Amino acid sequence: VMLGEALISPYLPISPSDVVMLGEALDGADGGDGPMAKLRAALPAYEAAAAPEAEAVARIAQVGFPYQYPITRERSPLQKAGWFANFLLRTFVLSKLLPRLFSPAAIVLVQRPQLSYAQVWRTAQRTTRRLQGLGLAAALAAAWPWLRRLALPLPPLPLLLLPLAAL
């Protein structure tokens, strides 16, 4: 039944990989006193195997395309515009110009069947960290002349930016 639902139902949050994970957990479980005992013994292993994907799906749903759900409310009028600007920048500019450094938005990555949800989330987070690093570098570069006028003992700007290269 689980496999059939995974293959035909677009509404149930189950996939063929869930069926495989449950099957592997059942294969590794002690038979005990019957099928229910085996199922109870298998569930912790299934839960451990499925948890990273479930967490990734939940996180992607929050940031991937949050405005598809009516419960999403913007905190400010600019929030939705900011999300779309981020989507366009990632998907149509940065991932095209520098594909080894920047990935498209998570909602685009989800459509790539070779990627698991956990891989999509990690890839999107890596791009987010790089964008944050670029923002920090831009802010530091913009503030550099002002900071130098304060006569603080600062190293040259390129030395300050070295930690950002690791992003």
Side-chain angles (χ1 to χ4, degrees), residues 137-152:
L140 188 58
W144 193 253
W146 179 77
L147 291 171
R148 294 296 286 178
R149 277 188 254 133
L150 291 176
L152 297 174

Side-chain angles (χ1 to χ4, degrees), residues 22-38:
L22 182 58
E24 289 171 350
L26 286 168
D27 288 343
D30 182 26
D33 296 330
M36 289 308 292
K38 185 168 185 155

Side-chain angles (χ1 to χ4, degrees), residues 6 10 17 36 50-51 55 58 61 66 68 70 85-86 94 100 110 130 144 148 159 167:
S17 66
M36 289 308 292
E55 182 178 343
Q68 68 183 333
N86 182 20
L94 294 175
R100 292 183 186 259
V110 165
R130 289 176 178 154
W144 193 253
R148 294 296 286 178
L159 292 178
L167 297 174

Side-chain angles (χ1 to χ4, degrees), residues 51-158:
E53 287 296 295
E55 182 178 343
V57 167
R59 293 188 180 278
I60 291 167
Q62 291 171 343
V63 300
F65 196 69
Y67 302 106
Q68 68 183 333
Y69 303 107
I71 60 171
T72 303
R73 302 285 182 249
E74 296 90 19
R75 292 190 184 111
S76 77
L78 297 177
Q79 190 172 358
K80 191 181 250 185
W83 183 90
F84 278 105
N86 182 20
F87 170 81
L88 294 172
L89 180 69
R90 286 177 186 238
T91 305
F92 298 110
V93 179
L94 294 175
S95 68
K96 302 293 185 202
L97 293 174
L98 300 165
R100 292 183 186 259
L101 291 176
F102 300 103
S103 68
I107 192 69
V108 174
L109 293 174
V110 165
Q111 298 171 34
R112 296 181 180 174
Q114 73 275 18
L115 295 176
S116 70
Y117 290 118
Q119 289 170 316
V120 166
W121 181 246
R122 282 192 304 271
T123 302
Q125 286 303 101
R126 214 172 17 251
T127 291
T128 297
R129 285 191 304 274
R130 289 176 178 154
L131 288 172
Q132 289 168 340
L134 280 176
L136 180 62
L140 188 58
W144 193 253
W146 179 77
L147 291 171
R148 294 296 286 178
R149 277 188 254 133
L150 291 176
L152 297 174
L154 297 172
L157 182 60

